[in-house]
């Protein structure tokens, strides 16, 4: 915008090139006069010339200030984006908060900023120790301490690069360095799926397995316990389950579980079973489980109520595949053990899981159903439908329905030929007696059908009665009762009456 002059009259001096002479022109020449009038109109008249001059003076300064502000905002935005990419957004927040005296922050906010800055510097020092060759063990111990109860520290340390040097520390020959690295990695993975994936991706699983493959015999108990704890934490992530299962960790966990004696802590046994449970969730790991003797060992240990529910949970995952069901069914007394678990009225969880295993196997295999009947499952199922939890009752009813259908088909096959012959025989024609008395053939057919139905009912009643007797014999055997008491006429009549009352025949 043109600058307006206070006086409309002035002199313009034009210098000549090459000489000192000059020529004066009045401002009221034609072009100058028109320019003066236009400038006066742009400035809003002579009365507002002072404001226009002031605005004209401040306009370049305003434009300059606005460009500087935009430049600062763009630099701040690009720096923030770069720090977000590098995982240092928190650091940029701390830098902005560091200007608290100028922005009017009170003392409490300044103290909070100072505390956060000190915490960040402490995390940086721990990572620096890990990346140096002087005090790597001290850095691992510091990482373990900082990540024990702080989820923010776990995230920040991983972003600062703490995982790779900790995984490399597993190659150390020093026992303290191995244990320090294992527990530091364990704490880094607690409640953080990204860290779990990063630890496995860095090759920690294979390095951990090398630690427990001691040529002198069994590995160090402290190292083995730390490795089990890491496998438990890492296997909680679904993407890690097939990697850990195919690495050879399952045989190690099975061996560790079998080697745990009475002096070992119950926590170590629970950690091993929980790690095996996490790995058994993935069907790809079931073949690796069956290659070991885990299933027979679990069935033989099922009487230990401290771990029985966890054992049944693992078996529930195993029977989800055809290979797993076959692996369970070939174990001697497997169905007898599972049927006995149905009678544990003081443990509803065990009843529900055992009934689930039996329900899956009964639905898939006729041979397994026959083995269950021989183990006396009918009486246990009838008792479970009355005294079990809601879920256990529902599963027991489904198993009973499946067994009843099989028994009905078996009876129908035994008597099907006679029924078909009688029903398909011509009512009229044939012999003289048949043609003379047509209703006689129909009556004989009905009587034959009633006989078949009564035979079917008798067969089912006999099946249930036999199961009740077998169950009572097992109970008497556990209670150390004499065998003649179990086989007495009074007990037989009791089972007969209970069978007739409990079944709607």
């Amino acid at each position: 915008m043109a600058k307006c002059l206070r006086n409309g009259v002035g002199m313009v001096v034009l210098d000549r090139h090459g000489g000192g002479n000059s020529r004066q022109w009045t401002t009221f020449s034609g072009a100058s006069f028109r320019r003066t009038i236009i400038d006066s109109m742009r400035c809003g008249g002579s009365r507002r010339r002072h404001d226009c001059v002031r605005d004209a003076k401040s306009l370049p300064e305003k434009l300059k200030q606005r460009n500087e502000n935009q430049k600062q905002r763009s630099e701040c935005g690009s720096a923030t984006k770069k720090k977000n990419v590098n995982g240092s957004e928190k650091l940029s927040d701390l830098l902005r908060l560091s200007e608290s005296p100028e922005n009017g922050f009170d003392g409490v906010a300044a103290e909070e900023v100072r505390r956060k800055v000190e915490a960040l510097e402490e995390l940086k020092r721990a990572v620096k120790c890990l990346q140096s060759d002087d005090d790597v063990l001290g850095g691992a111990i510091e990482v373990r301490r900082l990540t024990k109860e702080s989820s923010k520290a776990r995230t920040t340390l991983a972003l600062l690069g703490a995982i790779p040097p900790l995984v490399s520390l597993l190659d150390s020959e020093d026992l303290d360095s191995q244990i320090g690295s294992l527990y530091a990695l364990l704490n880094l993975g607690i409640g953080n799926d990204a860290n779990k994936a990063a630890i496995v991706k860095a090759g920690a699983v294979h390095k951990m397995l090398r630690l427990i493959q001691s040529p002198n015999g069994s590995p160090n108990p402290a190292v083995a316990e730390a490795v089990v704890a890491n496998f438990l934490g890492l296997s909680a992530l679904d993407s890690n389950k097939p990697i850990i299962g195919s690495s050879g960790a399952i045989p190690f966990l099975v061996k560790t579980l079998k080697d745990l004696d009475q002096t070992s802590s119950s926590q170590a046994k629970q950690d091993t079973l929980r790690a095996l449970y996490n790995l058994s969730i993935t069907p790809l790991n079931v073949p690796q489980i069956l290659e070991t003797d885990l299933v027979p060992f679990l069935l033989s240990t099922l009487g230990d109520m401290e771990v029985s529910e966890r054992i049944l949970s693992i078996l529930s995952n195993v029977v989800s595949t055809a290979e797993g069901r076959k692996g369970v069914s070939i174990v001697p007394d497997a169905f007898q053990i599972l049927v006995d678990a149905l009678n544990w009225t003081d443990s509803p969880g065990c009843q529900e899981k055992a009934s689930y295993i039996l329900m899956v196997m009964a639905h898939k295999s006729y041979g397994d159903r026959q083995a269950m009947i021989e183990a006396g499952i009918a009486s246990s199922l009838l008792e479970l439908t009355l005294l079990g939890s809601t879920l256990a009752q529902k599963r027991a009813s489904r198993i009973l329905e499946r067994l009843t259908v099989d028994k009905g088909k078996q009876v129908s096959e035994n008597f099907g030929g006679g029924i078909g012959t009688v029903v398909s025989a011509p009512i009229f024609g044939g012999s003289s007696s048949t043609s003379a008395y047509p209703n006689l053939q129909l009556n004989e057919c009905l009587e034959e059908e009633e006989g078949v139905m009564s035979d079917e009912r008798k067969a089912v009643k006999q099946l249930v009665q036999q199961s009740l007797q077998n169950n009572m014999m097992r109970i008497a055997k556990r209670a150390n009762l004499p065998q003649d008491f179990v086989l007495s006429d009074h007990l037989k009549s009791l089972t007969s009456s209970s069978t007739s009352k409990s079944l709607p025949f």
Side-chain angles (χ1 to χ4, degrees), residues 1 4 39-56:
M1 184 179 295
C4 300
D39 291 344
S40 299
M41 294 176 64
R42 288 179 178 175
C43 292
S46 61
R47 188 174 61 181
R48 300 178 62 183
R49 288 175 185 173
H50 294 289
D51 296 337
C52 185
V53 171
R54 186 172 61 253
D55 294 341

Side-chain angles (χ1 to χ4, degrees), residues 228-246:
V228 169
N230 272 275
F231 283 161
L232 171 60
L234 297 175
S235 61
L237 186 63
D238 290 339
S239 60
N240 288 343
K241 288 181 174 64
I243 300 175
I244 299 175
S246 61

